[in-house]
Amino acid sequence: MKRRFVTNLIFLLSLNVFIKSFWILGVDRGVQNALPAQDYGIYFALLNLTFLFNIILDFGITNYNNRIIAQHPQLIGKYFSRIVPIKFSLAVLFTVVVFTFALIAGYSAFELKLLGWLCFAQFLSSLTLYLRSNISGLLMFKTDSVLSVMDRFLMVVFCSLLLWSGILKTQFRIEFFVYAQVIAYLITAIIALLICLKHTGFIRLRWNKAFVLKVIKDCYPYALLVLLMAFYNRADSVMIERMLGDKGADYASVYASAFRLVDAANMIAYLFAVILLPLFARMIKQHKDVTPIIKISFHLLLVTSVTFALISLFYGDDLMKALYNKHIEASGEVYKVLAFCFVPISMTYIFGTLLTANGSLKKLNLVASLGMVLNVGINLILIPRYEALGAAYSSLIAQTVTAALQAAIAIKIFGIAIKKSYVYKILWFLVIISINTYLLKNGAINWIVNVIIAVFVILFTSLLFKIFNLKDFIRLIRSSNEE
């Protein structure tokens, strides 16, 4: 399990770093720079509004199905024929709920039209995630890895043609960006469906009332968890756009600029959860020790997330100047705070996933409830006074508290022993790399060169402190290749 995890993680990371980084830093950024700040701000707020209620589309079915298929792969045909009709029913409910909220919030006709297409895109994305849960549940990680980037790859192609090829004879509009996403999601969903059908064979879709009630009962805790997490992860931009009046869309655009790099980093951490969930589920069922997988994941994400946070803190302004042509100073301030959210988010992808695989959903929901109350409550206080910066601080507080609680609960449930010497080693590692990065910032070298040097210094320090064991990592890869 450990060797399979490491090998597939490398493949998955390689694909995503290459394609999704170009999507976020090239195409998505290019779209924002090509549009008025208000237009992109409205789009970003509407997109996150669909994320708030995205759980209605899924209702926890994806995680539930992933765990079931990982433990009982022979059930894939039975579950597939009964879950697909449920997905389409949930899509109707999702659209009704989102539009009801939008009408109450007072969105314009143009915004509602844009929202309709975004709802359709979210349905296609959710359907693809469900189809992928069957594929990853069968431990077909490489196939799932390709599917995980296919939609972004297609969007890169479509949007690059629209932005830079010259084939577009009119001014680029936000609607074109949304249409490109819909087409890319549709193609990816069709391909994922064909792959699933290859393993299930011909199936007849069935609406089984008893099965529906069983799924609702089993998935309800998952659905509640995702809904609560969505509110403390995605409510910020919606609250900014609605609470700050005429300037709300502009401030939402500022938040979007700052959030983009963090979102890119978050996708790398999310990939750990994609692989960890079925692995943890199967290992727990077989009563295997999950500590080795936790240790590898923790060390990799600790080094990655702390490196990202420190580089962002000391070079955030330079990064914003290199990326954007609007609201650079304001985006830099927000970005420096949001970047530190990546550290607790990374820990959540390890310990939260472990608790999910273990079925500890009651505890996770209590933690997520606290996170939602903290985020929304602090936003109500800080956004009117500090605008987008207030939302960034609110997010950091909520993410830190929830990650710490999840880690503490997981450590207690699984009896993970942590020596004081290990804690001191981690603390000294963090102190030393922070000082080194600060000293490099004050050097006279070009900031890009400084960043490269700082990254190598952090990696070398992690090897020195044995936070990341390179020999063990190489040995695992070689052993996997030999098999």
Side-chain angles (χ1 to χ4, degrees), residues 32-52:
Q32 185 173 7
N33 284 335
L35 292 169
Q38 189 175 42
D39 287 0
Y40 192 88
I42 291 172
Y43 158 78
F44 188 67
L46 291 173
L47 178 65
N48 281 284
L49 174 60
T50 63
F51 279 129
L52 286 182

Side-chain angles (χ1 to χ4, degrees), residues 123-136:
F123 162 67
L124 293 172
S125 176
S126 176
L127 181 62
T128 301
L129 284 174
Y130 161 68
L131 295 171
R132 285 177 52 203
S133 75
N134 291 284
I135 296 168
S136 63

Side-chain angles (χ1 to χ4, degrees), residues 35 63 69 100 118 169 202 208 249 255 277 279 308 391:
L35 292 169
N63 282 339
I69 301 304
T100 300
L118 287 173
K169 303 304 180 182
F202 176 78
N208 187 305
Y255 195 87
L277 182 61
L279 284 181
F308 177 81

Side-chain angles (χ1 to χ4, degrees), residues 159-219:
C159 293
S160 296
L161 290 173
L162 293 174
L163 283 171
W164 302 305
S165 70
I167 65 172
L168 195 62
K169 303 304 180 182
T170 183
Q171 184 177 0
F172 186 84
R173 301 200 304 269
I174 190 63
E175 301 99 298
F176 301 155
F177 186 45
V178 175
Y179 298 154
Q181 293 180 53
V182 170
I183 296 172
Y185 282 135
L186 179 61
I187 294 173
T188 305
I190 292 172
I191 294 175
L193 175 62
L194 293 175
I195 294 173
C196 286
L197 291 176
K198 180 180 178 181
H199 292 275
T200 62
F202 176 78
I203 61 169
R204 187 185 301 274
L205 299 180
R206 299 176 181 178
W207 181 266
N208 187 305
K209 184 178 179 181
F211 182 82
V212 171
L213 293 176
K214 179 182 183 300
V215 169
I216 291 175
K217 180 181 177 181
D218 291 341
C219 291

